[in-house]
Amino acid sequence: SQKIEQNSEALNIQEGKTATLTCNYTNYSPAYLQWYRQDPGRGPVFLLLIRENEKEKRKERLKVTFDTTLKQSLFHITASQPADSATYLCALGTTGYSTLTFGKGTMLLVSP
Amino acid sequence: DAGVTQSPTHLIKTRGQQVTLRCSPKSGHDTVSWYQQALGQGPQFIFQYYEEEERQRGNFPDRFSGHQFPNYSSELNVNALLLGDSALYLCASSRDGGYTFGSGTRLTVV
């Protein structure tokens, strides 16, 4: 069956360091992958989309890589800040009607 | 420009009751999807509406039904509520694949 795995344990890092979150998937051939940020009790907020034919995408302090051979995406936040503390979700989509399949998310805690 | 708005924000219901949740999509978006997010889990796809028709459905029982109106707003109905239906219900609107989520409705079944 299709499976999306994200680090189940919270990631604790110090302010100013680079946070790296992992998303692995099996039995899936996504056309694209998205990363979302979710704060407690709130809906997910879209951050970045990367397509299957793209290796890397950047937006300000964010960087996403997508390796369809390894079936893995890495999400990096450089110069992390306490305000970056949140749960980060990866979501896979296929062509067609574009419904998303989400991972469970990884909680990131950035300490001052 | 208002994003996706959902109502109510919180709701407490008793087992066996029925509930209706509402969603107004972002301006210009014609497709509405509903997701269920249990505590500590990622959102799970319930169904998607486009042109007032259910276009795609996830692995949820028939107790979950929906509707989309001509103005693209949508309702999610859940009948015969179970304790396990307690979750955050998220509405997402989109046009051409780009998603915007609402803040969700927190449903507690007691």
Side-chain angles (χ1 to χ4, degrees):
Chain A
S1 62
Q2 295 173 345
K3 206 172 180 181
I4 302 171
E5 290 183 343
Q6 296 186 248
N7 313 60
S8 55
E9 293 181 10
L11 179 63
N12 287 274
I13 65 166
Q14 212 162 7
E15 184 175 9
K17 302 290 186 185
T18 296
T20 299
L21 285 67
T22 305
C23 176
N24 295 298
Y25 60 92
T26 55
N27 297 324
Y28 207 113
S29 295
Y32 58 88
L33 186 147
Q34 299 183 4
W35 283 89
Y36 288 81
R37 170 188 171 134
Q38 187 173 26
D39 292 287
R42 309 286 294 180
V45 174
F46 171 77
L47 297 174
L48 279 169
L49 178 151
I50 187 165
R51 301 191 184 281
E52 60 178 334
N53 60 347
E54 297 174 315
K55 295 292 185 187
E56 183 179 298
K57 259 295 183 56
R58 290 175 186 261
K59 180 182 174 183
E60 298 171 355
R61 295 185 295 113
L62 309 180
K63 184 178 89 170
V64 173
T65 63
F66 194 11
D67 189 326
T68 55
T69 302
L70 289 179
K71 297 187 184 295
Q72 180 181 78
S73 174
L74 298 178
F75 176 77
H76 307 272
I77 305 176
T78 57
S80 59
Q81 305 165 0
D84 295 327
S85 298
T87 295
Y88 291 85
L89 299 159
C90 78
L92 277 60
T94 58
T95 53
Y97 299 144
S98 300
T99 60
L100 296 174
T101 303
F102 282 86
K104 290 184 180 180
T106 297
M107 184 182 294
L108 172 66
L109 299 169
V110 182
S111 52
Chain B
D1 175 28
V4 177
T5 56
Q6 292 187 243
S7 62
T9 54
H10 295 84
L11 203 51
I12 299 175
K13 288 286 190 178
T14 305
R15 272 180 300 176
Q17 284 189 315
Q18 178 263 344
V19 68
T20 297
L21 311 181
R22 295 177 176 82
C23 172
S24 292
K26 183 177 179 178
S27 177
H29 285 185
D30 57 5
T31 303
V32 173
S33 302
W34 287 91
Y35 288 80
Q36 180 196 65
Q37 187 175 25
L39 210 57
Q41 303 294 313
Q44 291 224 310
F45 174 70
I46 303 174
F47 41 55
Q48 183 182 84
Y49 277 84
Y50 173 72
E51 291 189 345
E52 302 178 52
E53 296 285 332
E54 183 182 290
R55 183 159 70 175
Q56 199 161 349
R57 188 179 183 93
N59 189 24
F60 278 79
D62 292 344
R63 298 187 297 109
F64 289 77
S65 63
H67 190 78
Q68 186 179 34
F69 299 93
N71 66 353
Y72 306 125
S73 66
S74 177
E75 287 181 351
L76 163 65
N77 300 292
V78 187
N79 293 323
L81 285 165
L82 304 173
L83 295 179
D85 295 331
S86 295
L88 181 67
Y89 287 85
L90 296 163
C91 171
S93 71
S94 60
R95 187 178 182 92
D96 303 327
Y99 273 78
T100 301
F101 280 84
S103 291
T105 294
R106 170 69 64 188
L107 172 65
T108 303
V109 183
V110 297

